[in-house]
């Protein structure tokens, strides 16, 4: 998956304005590396399609459509929009925080690649059970995964 800044307007490749700080770029490049992508890749069936999930804070997470379809709710929303002749590719989640949506996107991408379950998801297993903050993130992640039915 890809991560884009919390800008609420559309940004195009090469549209780097002076208000982008180096830490934003570093995070973006780090996440591209974590996803194993140098740039968007075409699959054997042609161009890869992407959707954008937007956190409560406005952060955008761009994920392969096939990975997003592992969420039954997202898949139904995409199918529903296509039946009326439109294609929705941007999904705002006003109740899901950026850290939780980030982990959820990582999970969907990993599940798409490997077929692993939530119990096998390393970032969830690596949370500290004694940390209140990690407990809260784990709870919010499980609630979000349940809400999105993935």
């Amino acid at each position: 998956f890809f991560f884009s800044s919390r800008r609420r307007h559309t940004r195009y490749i090469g549209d780097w304005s002076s208000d982008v700080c180096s830490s934003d770029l570093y995070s973006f490049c780090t996440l591209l590396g974590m996803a194993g992508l140098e740039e968007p890749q075409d699959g054997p069936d042609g161009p890869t399609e992407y959707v954008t999930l937007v956190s409560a804070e406005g952060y955008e997470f761009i994920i392969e459509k096939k990975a997003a379809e592992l969420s039954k709710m997202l898949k139904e929303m995409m199918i529903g929009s296509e039946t009326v002749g439109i294609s929705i590719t941007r999904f705002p989640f006003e109740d899901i925080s950026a850290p939780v949506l980030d982990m959820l996107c990582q999970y969907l991408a990993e599940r798409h690649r490997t077929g692993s379950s939530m119990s096998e998801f390393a970032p969830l297993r690596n949370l500290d059970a004694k940390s209140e903050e990690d407990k809260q993130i784990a709870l919010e992640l499980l609630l979000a995964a349940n809400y999105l039915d993935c």
Side-chain angles (χ1 to χ4, degrees):
F1 71 96
F2 298 97
F3 169 79
S4 98
S5 71
R6 67 176 126 178
R7 309 290 187 269
R8 293 190 184 267
H9 60 278
T10 303
R11 298 186 75 181
Y12 298 96
I13 294 173
D15 180 26
W16 293 102
S17 62
S18 60
D19 65 343
V20 175
C21 69
S22 60
S23 64
D24 288 342
L25 183 58
Y26 174 78
S27 296
F28 182 72
C29 293
T30 301
L31 288 169
L32 283 177
M34 285 174 38
L37 298 173
E38 296 296 322
E39 59 186 57
Q41 305 287 319
D42 287 346
D45 300 327
T48 303
E49 295 180 72
Y50 295 91
V51 297
T52 303
L53 308 182
V54 184
S55 73
E57 303 87 354
Y59 285 95
E60 296 179 343
F61 297 88
I62 302 168
I63 186 170
E64 285 187 39
K65 183 178 178 181
K66 288 185 180 188
E69 287 175 341
L70 294 173
S71 158
K72 292 177 186 174
M73 183 179 130
L74 285 172
K75 185 174 184 175
E76 289 298 319
M77 290 169 71
M78 287 182 254
I79 290 171
S81 70
E82 290 168 0
T83 60
V84 293
I86 58 173
S87 177
I88 297 175
T89 59
R90 189 171 191 277
F91 301 92
F93 293 100
E94 295 177 2
D95 295 327
I96 303 178
S97 69
V100 172
L101 194 56
D102 178 20
M103 287 183 74
L104 191 60
C105 287
Q106 288 180 48
Y107 168 66
L108 289 170
E110 183 178 309
R111 184 171 165 208
H112 175 61
R113 275 191 323 275
T114 66
S116 61
S117 68
M118 184 64 84
S119 63
E120 300 168 311
F121 184 50
L124 181 60
R125 287 194 330 253
N126 293 337
L127 293 175
D128 182 4
K130 295 179 182 177
S131 164
E132 290 301 318
E133 183 178 342
D134 283 0
K135 286 180 189 177
Q136 185 65 33
I137 289 174
L139 176 62
E140 289 180 30
L141 175 63
L142 294 173
L143 288 172
N146 184 56
Y147 172 70
L148 293 175
D149 200 4
C150 50

